[in-house]
């Protein structure tokens, strides 16, 4: 039977293009809906509702929000990652049998991430999924990992000063996938069978580049030249601690994120699952060419 899917966090950076991809592939699903966590948020989904996506108004933490769906795809952002274990409990109680936690990044089994601030809630969510799957033999989950979003590379650039600032090493190897390809693969993956029990890992990567190669590709496509400043990630740890002492969780996440791209950890398994999908993902250069052509046209 065609899956019925509820998307949580559908108005965010990844959520918006993912919903557009669901609209394109809607005929493969019996039902696709987005969760609006209160009635005032319903309005931001008016266009997708007109395109055939249902809007469920309800709390992330209320069992009734999840009723009538077999699959939940979470796309929640930093502030809500810690709610995912409670969301999983409500989803299971409502009869959901498949859950995609908000991952969409690196392979978190790398030792350097065991105590990394950015991944604290993601790792707790993984542990919760393990526990709940043991208790519920019909419950399955997918960890979808795509490395770094290619489009985010410009985040490290001071466009005025033409300087790239990063915390780590120019030689840090990075897996890179475009947001467009990630959304296509996530939606297609929902239609693929589980081959390995209740837990499924999917690793995809459009390109592998060192951080310096990535920035050189960006500069080449933009027709500019950048100078580079590589700083010690320990500086960012100090800033995270400062933010923690000031009860500023958003800043804690922000500083923790700064250490990822040039850390050597922003990567997926070397054995990727790209062949599961019926297309070849874009290279970094191709994504940048499209991105800047689109920005120039806007
Ligand atoms: N690999 C990479 O390079 C990369 C880059 C960016 C993100 N990611 C990952 O992708 C996933 C989604 O990230 P994102 O950047 O798309 O998230 P986001 O835009 O920050 O937030 C996604 C959604 O979560 C809900 N939300 C977030 N913060 C909230 C708050 N403070 N209060 C209420 N609702 C809030 C909102 O959804 P509703 O209002 O619709 O409920 C929001 O649209 C995360 O797991 C993130 O780590 C990976």
């Amino acid at each position: 039977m065609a899956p019925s899917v509820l998307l949580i966090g559908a108005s965010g950076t990844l959520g918006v293009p993912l919903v557009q991809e669901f609209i394109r592939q809607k005929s493969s699903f019996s039902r696709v809906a987005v969760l609006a966590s209160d009635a005032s948020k319903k309005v931001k989904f008016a266009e997708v509702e007109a395109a055939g996506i249902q809007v469920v108004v309800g709390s992330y933490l209320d069992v009734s929000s999840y009723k009538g769906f077999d699959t939940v795809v979470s796309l929640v952002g930093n502030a809500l990652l810690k709610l995912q274990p409670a969301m999983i409990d409500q989803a299971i109680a409502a009869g959901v049998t498949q859950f995609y936690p908000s991952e969409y990044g690196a392979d978190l089994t790398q030792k350097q991430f065991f105590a990394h601030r950015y991944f604290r809630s993601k790792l707790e969510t993984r542990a919760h999924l393990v526990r709940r799957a043991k208790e519920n033999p019909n419950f399955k989950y997918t960890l979808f990992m795509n490395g770094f979003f290619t489009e985010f590379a410009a985040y490290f650039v001071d466009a005025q000063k033409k300087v790239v600032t990063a915390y780590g090493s120019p030689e840090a190897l990075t897996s890179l996938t475009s947001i467009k390809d990630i959304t296509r693969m996530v939606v297609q993956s929902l239609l693929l069978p589980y081959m390995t029990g209740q837990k499924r890992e999917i690793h995809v990567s459009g390109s592998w580049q060192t951080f310096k190669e990535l920035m050189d590709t960006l500069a080449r496509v933009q027709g500019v030249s950048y100078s580079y400043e590589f700083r010690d990630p320990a500086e960012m740890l100090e800033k995270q601690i400062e933010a923690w002492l000031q009860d500023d969780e958003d800043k804690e996440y922000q500083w923790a994120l700064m250490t990822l791209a040039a850390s050597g950890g922003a990567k997926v398994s070397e054995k990727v699952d790209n062949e599961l999908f019926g297309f070849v993902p874009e290279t970094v250069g191709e994504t940048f060419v499209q991105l800047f052509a689109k920005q120039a046209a806007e």
Side-chain angles (χ1 to χ4, degrees):
M1 177 154 154
S4 53
V5 185
L6 177 67
L7 307 173
I8 312 220
S11 63
T13 308
L14 183 59
V16 168
L18 188 72
V19 173
Q20 292 306 316
E21 188 57 33
F22 268 107
I23 292 171
R24 280 188 279 277
Q25 299 193 39
K26 197 158 50 77
S27 59
S28 301
F29 298 89
S30 61
R31 186 181 177 200
V32 181
V34 296
L35 184 75
S37 55
D38 62 59
S40 69
K41 288 191 174 175
K42 194 167 187 272
V43 63
K44 65 185 173 185
F45 294 119
E47 275 183 32
V48 301
E49 197 171 16
I53 302 293
Q54 296 174 18
V55 182
V56 172
V57 179
S59 159
Y60 304 105
L61 301 181
D62 184 347
V63 67
S64 60
S65 301
Y66 301 90
K67 286 222 164 104
F69 297 96
D70 51 55
T71 297
V72 169
V73 177
S74 170
L75 306 148
V76 294
N78 302 342
L80 299 188
L81 290 170
K82 60 172 118 33
L83 294 187
Q84 289 193 112
M87 287 164 43
I88 291 161
D89 290 346
Q90 297 308 315
I92 291 174
V96 167
T97 53
Q98 176 173 227
F99 196 94
Y100 277 48
S102 191
E103 287 260 341
Y104 319 112
D107 177 359
L108 301 189
T109 59
Q110 298 172 83
K111 285 184 190 157
Q112 61 178 300
F113 291 150
F114 183 71
H116 196 288
R117 173 64 184 96
Y118 187 73
F119 298 121
R120 193 184 295 160
S121 294
K122 291 193 177 193
L123 290 171
E124 280 168 8
T125 299
R126 285 187 175 205
H128 196 72
L129 285 163
V130 171
R131 280 195 292 278
R132 296 308 321 263
K134 279 185 188 151
E135 294 161 5
N136 297 277
N138 292 330
F139 179 70
K140 302 190 292 281
Y141 62 97
T142 293
L143 307 174
F144 192 97
M145 290 161 273
N146 44 253
F148 195 58
F149 292 1
T150 307
E151 290 85 343
F152 275 41
Y155 187 72
F156 298 93
V157 175
D158 182 327
Q160 303 261 296
K161 294 184 185 154
K162 303 269 185 294
V163 177
V164 172
T165 307
Y167 294 82
S169 155
E171 301 312 321
L173 195 60
T174 312
S175 315
L176 295 136
T177 315
S178 73
I179 292 174
K180 186 174 78 184
D181 288 342
I182 293 166
T183 60
R184 283 177 78 186
M185 290 173 174
V186 168
V187 175
Q188 284 187 24
S189 73
L190 289 161
L191 304 166
L192 299 174
Y194 279 59
M195 309 303 279
T196 53
Q198 289 171 267
K199 170 187 173 183
R200 175 170 68 172
E201 289 194 13
I202 298 179
H203 297 252
V204 298
S205 181
S207 299
W208 294 81
Q209 294 203 329
T210 65
F211 185 80
K212 174 79 167 43
E213 284 167 346
L214 170 67
M215 290 300 156
D216 286 347
T217 310
L218 179 66
R220 182 171 45 75
V221 173
Q222 290 177 313
V224 295
S225 139
Y226 291 130
S227 61
Y228 291 87
E229 192 182 352
F230 285 92
R231 303 176 70 129
D232 183 349
E235 281 180 42
M236 284 293 119
L237 184 59
E238 283 304 316
K239 282 191 167 289
Q240 285 168 61
I241 293 168
E242 258 172 51
W244 169 58
L245 293 173
Q246 289 165 4
D247 296 332
D248 189 341
E249 192 182 48
D250 286 346
K251 276 261 154 41
E252 261 187 76
Y253 270 118
Q254 193 181 319
W255 302 137
L257 268 172
M258 291 297 288
T259 63
L260 287 176
S263 70
K267 59 182 187 234
V268 299
S269 160
E270 280 172 27
K271 195 199 154 309
V272 289
D273 301 301
N274 294 4
E275 79 285 353
L276 290 176
F277 308 97
F279 65 96
V280 178
E282 288 171 0
T283 63
V284 163
E286 287 165 346
T287 305
F288 288 150
V289 167
Q290 290 174 37
L291 185 65
F292 296 114
K294 190 167 159 241
Q295 285 176 0
E298 283 168 0

